[in-house]
Amino acid sequence: MTSADLLWTVLKVAVMVGFLLNVAGLLTWYDRRGGAMMQDRLGPNRAALKIGKFELRIAGLLHTAADGVKFFTKEDFMPPKADKLLFSLAPIIAFFPVFAILAVIPFGEPIAPDALWRFVCTKAGEASQLAVDGSCPAGFAKQWSFPWVPAHGVAHNAVSLQVAPLDVGILYIFAMAGQGIIGAAIAGWASDNKFSLMGALRAASQMVSYEVTLGLTLVGAFMIYGSIRLEDMVVWQQENAWGIFVQPLAFFLFFAAAIAESKRIPFDLPEAESELVSGYFTEYSGMKFGMFYFAEYAEIVTSSMLLATIFLGGWSLPFMHRDGITIAFGETVVAVTHIPHIWSVIISVLAFFGKVIVLCLLQAFIRWSLPRFRYDQLMKLGWTVMLPLSLANIFATGIVWIAVQRGGASVAAGLKTAGDITQGITAATITALVLWAIIGLVRKPTRRETIVGSSASYAAAAGGAKEAPIREAAA
């Protein structure tokens, strides 16, 4: 490995880990702030930085900082009869596999270092030429140039925006994600607490059950993409259509199973406060509890990364390719605009992380919208509803795929046009959502109180309240 390769690897690790840490931390704030807004109540408003008579609250963000200080300074309690080794090992097992998953997730277009920028020599009336050793002939002026690269093909020295482009791809992710089951099970068993043990049993059975659905929902995607490498999946979606259009049922099944894997409401049965105090980490405190707590939010980010990569086009945007924007429907080309390679890379990275943030906010919205399932309902949903649907999706995908392969060139051309139409629909939807968000941010909110009614008004509308007959006391 050369020094340049090492530098690129360190940079990629810093980008992915930095994004995960920051977004997971902000999600803890959004859970408080967003939940308060949805329920029309005060949110995080107590933690403040006082400078004289001035109080700095930063919309409640200081609560997240206060949580971090609390985790590091709180007493590290361990039950007297707990297994000390396993009790201390469980948070580590639950925490670090989440970060290991980041290694195979691509977050942008491959970079051609030679095409990011270059110096060219220009002279009026003559064609531009590359500067040799940073210098130009007499009479030529040296200028910056930001070239574009061809849409197809990757340079031999291209840098993949992926920490470890493994051939096993998604299989590595399932191997790492499965370690979380071990962490939860060990935490409950080693705590010497019946509530913790019950939470660990719930967590293990829930995660095993929904991992089956999680894996089977992707089989149909593998059949269509023809690869288990995540970067190949993104390239296929960039050239054809996003996975949500070719595997709509798989998208919703994977989304629901991913929420169940992260053990968030409405699937937070292993941590149910009203039943199990706090589940498998009831006995944990200090930074050990903080690792379990933060791992849950980190799982939200990683699951959103997988959803964006497999079903929402990864780093790609509608009609955008490596060389720029090409709006085409079938064989009809509407517009072509070339974009410098450096901007193409930046836009692709921002597109990927933007999709991840939107999916994280959607999961937080669901967390404050749905009630908790009963445990029997949770298991019944996984084994009798989602598992059969994932198998049916595989069967239906196989039939459609065989029919398409035997359909010939006319069917392929029709599907290509249909894919371009979905790109247009996606572009219009994204534009409308962005405009709606901008209008919502700049518009001054109005607060209106509406009294729906009272018990007296409802009783009067029903014909009045009836008094129960008074029973005379027995003589």
Side-chain angles (χ1 to χ4, degrees):
M1 175 181 289
T2 64
S3 58
D5 294 335
L6 180 60
L7 180 61
W8 278 112
T9 302
V10 172
L11 181 60
K12 289 185 286 187
V13 171
V15 169
M16 292 297 281
V17 174
F19 178 82
L20 177 63
L21 291 175
N22 283 279
V23 174
L26 288 174
L27 282 175
T28 65
W29 164 80
Y30 183 78
D31 257 356
R32 297 187 178 104
R33 184 74 173 175
M37 294 174 66
M38 291 176 63
Q39 298 176 354
D40 194 20
R41 57 176 173 80
L42 288 177
N45 68 323
R46 295 184 179 274
L49 182 63
K50 295 184 178 180
I51 305 175
K53 295 183 179 181
F54 179 72
E55 290 187 354
L56 183 65
R57 299 184 184 276
I58 322 179
L61 282 172
L62 292 177
H63 276 252
T64 303
D67 282 343
V69 174
K70 178 184 69 176
F71 288 146
F72 280 105
T73 57
K74 196 173 182 181
E75 178 187 1
D76 186 13
F77 171 78
M78 182 179 295
K81 296 184 179 180
D83 187 308
K84 293 180 173 53
L85 175 62
L86 296 179
F87 187 86
S88 301
L89 191 61
I92 301 174
I93 297 176
F95 184 76
F96 283 102
V98 182
F99 289 82
I101 290 174
L102 300 178
V104 297
I105 297 179
F107 60 93
E109 284 273 8
I111 299 176
D114 298 337
L116 290 177
W117 59 78
R118 60 184 61 167
F119 287 112
V120 296
C121 303
T122 60
K123 185 177 181 180
E126 296 190 22
S128 301
Q129 55 181 305
L130 288 175
V132 181
D133 297 329
S135 60
C136 293
F140 283 81
K142 186 169 67 173
Q143 292 183 354
W144 287 93
S145 175
F146 299 94
W148 56 273
V149 297
H152 301 285
V154 181
H156 69 281
N157 61 340
V159 178
S160 173
L161 289 187
Q162 188 178 13
V163 177
L166 303 179
D167 291 334
V168 291
I170 198 71
L171 301 181
Y172 168 83
I173 291 178
F174 283 123
M176 290 295 104
Q179 305 305 312
I181 303 173
I182 301 174
I186 290 177
W189 183 85
S191 296
D192 189 39
N193 182 304
K194 61 181 180 182
F195 294 110
S196 299
L197 180 60
M198 191 175 298
L201 293 174
R202 283 187 174 188
S205 56
Q206 173 178 326
M207 295 174 74
V208 168
S209 301
Y210 280 86
E211 273 194 4
V212 175
T213 300
L214 206 65
L216 289 176
T217 52
L218 297 183
V219 174
F222 299 158
M223 296 166 64
I224 292 176
Y225 299 147
S227 174
I228 59 174
R229 293 172 62 99
L230 294 173
E231 60 272 29
D232 293 342
M233 298 180 188
V234 176
V235 171
W236 190 96
Q237 294 175 80
Q238 189 177 37
E239 296 177 353
N240 296 276
W242 284 8
I244 190 173
F245 293 104
V246 295
Q247 287 284 284
L249 179 60
F251 169 79
F252 291 105
L253 292 175
F254 188 91
F255 185 59
I259 297 176
E261 279 292 299
S262 61
K263 303 178 291 297
R264 294 263 293 177
I265 292 177
F267 302 109
D268 67 329
L269 276 302
E271 309 164 13
E273 299 92 347
S274 58
E275 305 168 28
L276 304 178
V277 186
S278 191
Y280 57 91
F281 49 77
T282 296
E283 299 291 350
Y284 284 88
S285 63
M287 199 56 206
K288 289 189 177 72
F289 170 79
M291 294 178 75
F292 278 117
Y293 179 77
F294 195 80
E296 178 181 299
Y297 284 94
E299 287 174 4
I300 299 173
V301 182
T302 54
S303 65
S304 298
M305 287 182 176
L306 289 176
L307 275 164
T309 302
I310 301 173
F311 295 103
L312 298 181
W315 68 73
S316 67
L317 288 174
F319 302 119
M320 187 166 180
H321 306 276
R322 286 173 57 83
D323 61 339
I325 299 174
T326 301
I327 301 177
F329 297 93
E331 300 298 329
T332 304
V333 179
V334 179
V336 176
T337 302
H338 293 301
I339 295 178
H341 180 55
I342 186 171
W343 283 111
S344 177
V345 172
I346 293 174
I347 292 172
S348 67
V349 173
L350 294 178
F352 175 77
F353 288 135
K355 294 174 186 178
V356 173
I357 291 174
V358 170
L359 289 170
C360 290
L361 295 179
L362 179 59
Q363 293 195 49
F365 179 82
I366 292 174
R367 182 249 186 276
W368 287 104
S369 302
L370 299 178
R372 177 185 298 145
F373 286 96
R374 292 198 317 264
Y375 195 72
D376 62 308
Q377 293 174 330
L378 171 74
M379 300 303 290
K380 185 177 181 180
L381 175 67
W383 288 108
T384 65
V385 178
M386 296 182 65
L387 178 60
L389 285 177
S390 61
L391 293 173
N393 180 70
I394 297 173
F395 183 72
T397 301
I399 294 176
V400 174
W401 182 249
I402 293 174
V404 169
Q405 292 296 312
R406 295 182 178 180
S410 59
V411 174
L415 290 176
K416 180 65 173 62
T417 303
D420 293 335
I421 292 174
T422 63
Q423 297 279 346
I425 294 172
T426 304
T429 303
I430 293 175
T431 304
L433 290 176
V434 170
L435 293 175
W436 175 69
I438 293 173
I439 293 173
L441 289 174
V442 300
R443 185 179 58 185
K444 185 178 180 180
T446 57
R447 185 180 182 87
R448 293 177 298 179
E449 294 186 0
T450 303
I451 300 176
V452 177
S454 64
S455 57
S457 61
Y458 283 123
K466 296 181 180 179
E467 297 182 359
I470 301 176
R471 296 181 180 179
E472 298 180 357

